[in-house]
Amino acid sequence: MSESEIDTSVPPSGPGCQECLDADGWWFHLRRCAACGHVGCCDSSPARHATRHFEETGHPFIQSYEPGEVWFYDFRSRETGNGPELAAPTSHPADQPSPGPEGRVPADWTRRLHR
């Protein structure tokens, strides 16, 4: 991991995927860009906003934004690994459900996941 591709001082953009919130969508799990703090939904989610962010910006590293998870993912090598501690908070609020956000997840959500 290159230090120029990770900014440990930038906080996350919010507690959830802003694109999903703006579009009345929902997510399965959340990922945080290690360069700019953008929080997007994972590739199992319907909209895959974390990957779209990488495609639009070229920021290659994300970290899980799930409570208790600290792994990083490199979009270029498609490998997971460890990385530096990012600015707090390091996950969405523990009382925020996954999938989320509360009240928007369809009853048949497991059938709508990308696998």
Side-chain angles (χ1 to χ4, degrees), residues 90-103:
T90 57
S91 71
H92 65 75
D95 63 351
Q96 178 177 304
S98 287
E102 190 170 5

Side-chain angles (χ1 to χ4, degrees), residues 13-24 27 30 38-41 49 104:
S13 61
C17 178
Q18 191 60 51
E19 291 92 342
C20 285
L21 292 170
D22 291 346
D24 291 325
W27 57 79
L30 297 170
H38 173 269
V39 175
C41 55
H49 287 121
R104 288 203 195 158

Side-chain angles (χ1 to χ4, degrees), residues 2 17-19 31 33 43 58 60 62-63 73-74 79 85 88 91-92 95-96 103 105 114:
S2 166
C17 178
Q18 191 60 51
E19 291 92 342
R31 307 294 180 238
C33 176
D43 279 355
I62 57 171
Q63 185 179 38
Y73 179 77
D74 181 343
E79 294 179 356
E85 186 171 337
S91 71
H92 65 75
D95 63 351
Q96 178 177 304
V105 181
H114 293 281

Side-chain angles (χ1 to χ4, degrees), residues 27-76:
W27 57 79
F28 181 48
H29 288 137
L30 297 170
R31 307 294 180 238
R32 173 185 177 176
C33 176
C36 71
H38 173 269
V39 175
C41 55
C42 72
D43 279 355
S44 294
S45 301
R48 302 175 175 175
H49 287 121
T51 294
R52 287 186 188 185
H53 177 74
F54 161 67
E55 292 168 346
E56 292 171 1
T57 65
H59 297 163
F61 299 109
I62 57 171
Q63 185 179 38
S64 175
Y65 199 54
E66 295 298 315
E69 296 182 3
V70 296
W71 55 265
F72 281 75
Y73 179 77
D74 181 343
F75 281 105
R76 296 174 301 198

